[in-house]
Amino acid sequence: MGKLSAFGKRVGEMGFAAGGGVINWFPGHMAAATRAIRDRLKLADLVIEVRDARIPLSSANEDLQQHLSRKRRVVALNKKDLANPNIIHHWIRHFESFKQDCLPINAHSKSSVNQLLSLVELKLREVISREPTLLVMVVGVPNVGKSALINSISQVANTRFPVLEKAKRATVGPFPGVTQDIAGFKIANHPSIYVLDTPGVLVPSIPDIETGLKLALTGAVKDSIVGEFRLAQYLLAVLNVRKTPLHWDRLMRLNSNESPNELGGAIKTVLKDSIPNRRNPKTASEVLYIEDLVKKVQRTLYITFSEFEGNLEEESELESLINKQLAALQVTFRIPHKDSDEANLMVSKKLLILFRTGKLGPFILDDLSEASKPLQ
């Protein structure tokens, strides 16, 4: 990923301070929440640190790591359905090599949450016999799925434990920073076990530009802070440097023999599992339309990539390729001829939606080679 870093630093003007490239997005409630989290950590018997499986390193709040390292902790890599399954097991082994419990999860999956609860029970077993009340704390940066996990734990716990009180539900939203208070949710009796949901908090500043870009690309920082166009540039840089369009072409060739019925059924299953908080399930025609659009986007990026004769390591040439891809995607998305800035913004928004909902495929943006030291 080193080749991408130089490009990231140039693209990163987006709300990073000019002198040193630091992202400063630290709403007032985050400062108070960070202090409250540190105070409550002293009382916690176990901490579930939720991270985004697509960025196992970048989604860690470094300011809290020293405090978390003193506690019983489970690192839950959420959104595993959006992460590359061929790589994620290497990350699990990395965490385990430092004797850190780590579990990839999908906060919307009952079986996944059950697995996490079993691990939590195992970790608490040594204190469960002598403590009448146990406290589990859930922490993480914005938009990694903490509140969705809390809600799922509540639903699962209602069937597993005798709960006297009807558990509250955490507020879940598509934007980072929705949960702004720290609230307790009782999930069991004998002993009483409470789970604390906490607001997502970032460090006051992120000195590494590429880390900031990854956080923004996965939704931990509001798009309005960074800019959808610059995020789309960064995403295309990632795809091109990794030569992902070539992989898409091979996949399309392999899948070309599938019948329409088989393909439609598979697509429907994938979309059903990957769209969070869905209230209006997609119809079969909508599912096929989305899949057709995804194929066209992948084909467009493959053609522009295969026609590229420049050097991906040269910043100006990579930028030229990205500009051509954005122009080609405007046609693919059927965006009418508009002012170039307006058209680029519309293309960027559509491309980001496809990436964030997993339609372009599963990715892990962090590089395992950068994970050379244990958790602090």
Side-chain angles (χ1 to χ4, degrees):
M1 210 48 179
K3 287 188 275 188
L4 188 57
S5 297
F7 181 83
K9 286 181 173 57
R10 193 193 62 73
V11 172
E13 300 171 357
M14 55 176 78
F16 293 88
V22 178
I23 183 170
N24 292 298
W25 183 61
F26 199 63
H29 75 269
M30 283 194 183
T34 300
R35 290 192 296 271
I37 288 171
R38 288 174 180 169
D39 289 340
R40 284 161 175 76
L41 276 173
K42 300 172 186 176
L43 304 174
D45 297 289
L46 182 139
V47 176
I48 298 175
E49 183 188 4
V50 186
R51 300 189 186 185
D52 191 316
R54 295 168 295 179
I55 47 174
L57 285 183
S58 300
S59 56
N61 184 324
E62 290 298 329
D63 280 5
L64 291 178
Q65 292 307 307
Q66 186 176 359
H67 300 275
L68 296 177
S69 65
R70 302 170 187 157
K71 312 296 297 186
R72 294 180 189 85
R73 171 171 51 166
V74 174
V75 174
L77 297 181
N78 190 31
K79 306 184 183 182
K80 71 173 185 178
D81 51 312
L82 302 179
N84 190 328
N86 298 320
I87 298 176
I88 197 167
H89 66 277
H90 294 299
W91 281 98
I92 302 302
R93 284 206 297 267
H94 165 74
F95 283 108
E96 291 177 345
S97 70
F98 295 112
K99 302 188 185 306
Q100 172 59 62
D101 291 284
C102 180
L103 187 69
I105 68 167
N106 177 348
H108 297 280
S109 164
K110 182 178 178 180
S111 62
S112 189
V113 174
N114 264 316
Q115 189 178 2
L116 176 62
L117 286 178
S118 295
L119 180 57
V120 167
E121 284 186 282
L122 179 65
K123 297 287 288 181
L124 286 175
R125 188 168 295 167
E126 60 190 75
V127 295
I128 205 168
S129 61
R130 64 177 185 269
E131 294 290 342
T133 301
L134 299 174
L135 184 63
V136 177
M137 197 166 182
V138 181
V139 301
V141 301
N143 213 32
V144 291
K146 299 180 307 303
S147 296
L149 176 60
I150 286 286
N151 288 337
S152 294
I153 287 176
S154 174
Q155 293 170 11
V156 171
N158 281 336
T159 64
R160 293 182 58 184
F161 304 108
V163 180
L164 295 179
E165 303 172 12
K166 185 177 180 181
K168 299 178 182 178
R169 290 178 62 86
T171 301
V172 180
F175 306 111
V178 169
T179 306
Q180 297 190 10
D181 298 314
I182 295 180
F185 303 87
K186 191 172 185 177
I187 64 168
N189 289 304
H190 312 302
S192 294
I193 300 178
Y194 287 85
V195 174
L196 284 188
D197 186 27
T198 60
V201 291
L202 289 170
V203 293
S205 62
I206 304 171
D208 178 68
I209 288 180
E210 196 164 351
T211 296
L213 286 165
K214 292 172 185 176
L215 286 166
L217 187 57
T218 54
V221 176
K222 291 180 180 179
D223 286 347
S224 59
I225 302 296
V226 175
E228 290 94 339
F229 175 56
R230 293 186 179 99
L231 281 178
Q233 286 181 301
Y234 178 69
L235 173 58
L236 288 172
V238 171
L239 298 177
N240 290 322
V241 169
R242 294 185 176 188
K243 301 181 180 180
T244 302
L246 297 180
H247 173 67
W248 286 336
D249 182 62
R250 288 192 293 270
L251 281 181
M252 283 186 279
R253 290 174 187 270
L254 288 173
N255 294 333
S256 60
N257 294 326
E258 293 183 0
S259 70
N261 288 337
E262 290 174 333
L263 185 60
I267 295 165
K268 191 170 184 178
T269 300
V270 170
L271 286 177
K272 179 181 177 183
D273 290 341
S274 64
I275 299 177
N277 301 327
R278 55 191 180 277
R279 295 181 180 177
N280 299 308
K282 301 291 184 184
T283 65
S285 60
E286 288 174 321
V287 168
L288 290 172
Y289 167 77
I290 293 172
E291 176 60 20
D292 183 57
L293 177 62
V294 170
K295 282 186 175 181
K296 289 179 179 178
V297 168
Q298 292 175 332
R299 188 67 182 168
T300 297
L301 294 180
Y302 165 73
I303 292 172
T304 51
F305 182 87
S306 61
E307 292 175 348
F308 176 67
E309 297 180 350
N311 184 354
L312 290 174
E313 296 186 39
E314 289 293 330
E315 183 180 314
S316 60
E317 295 185 35
L318 178 58
E319 182 182 8
S320 175
L321 169 60
I322 290 172
N323 288 337
K324 289 180 181 178
Q325 289 175 324
L326 289 169
L329 286 173
Q330 182 178 348
V331 177
T332 301
F333 286 129
R334 296 183 179 181
I335 295 173
H337 179 71
K338 295 176 178 288
D339 170 77
S340 60
D341 289 342
E342 185 180 358
N344 281 334
L345 179 60
M346 294 177 69
V347 169
S348 299
K349 287 182 176 181
K350 291 179 180 294
L351 187 63
L352 290 174
I353 288 173
L354 293 180
F355 170 77
R356 288 169 174 166
T357 53
K359 305 303 182 294
L360 296 182
F363 290 90
I364 292 183
L365 301 175
D366 280 338
D367 190 337
L368 193 57
S369 65
E370 299 169 357
S372 57
K373 62 179 181 178
L375 298 177
Q376 299 298 317

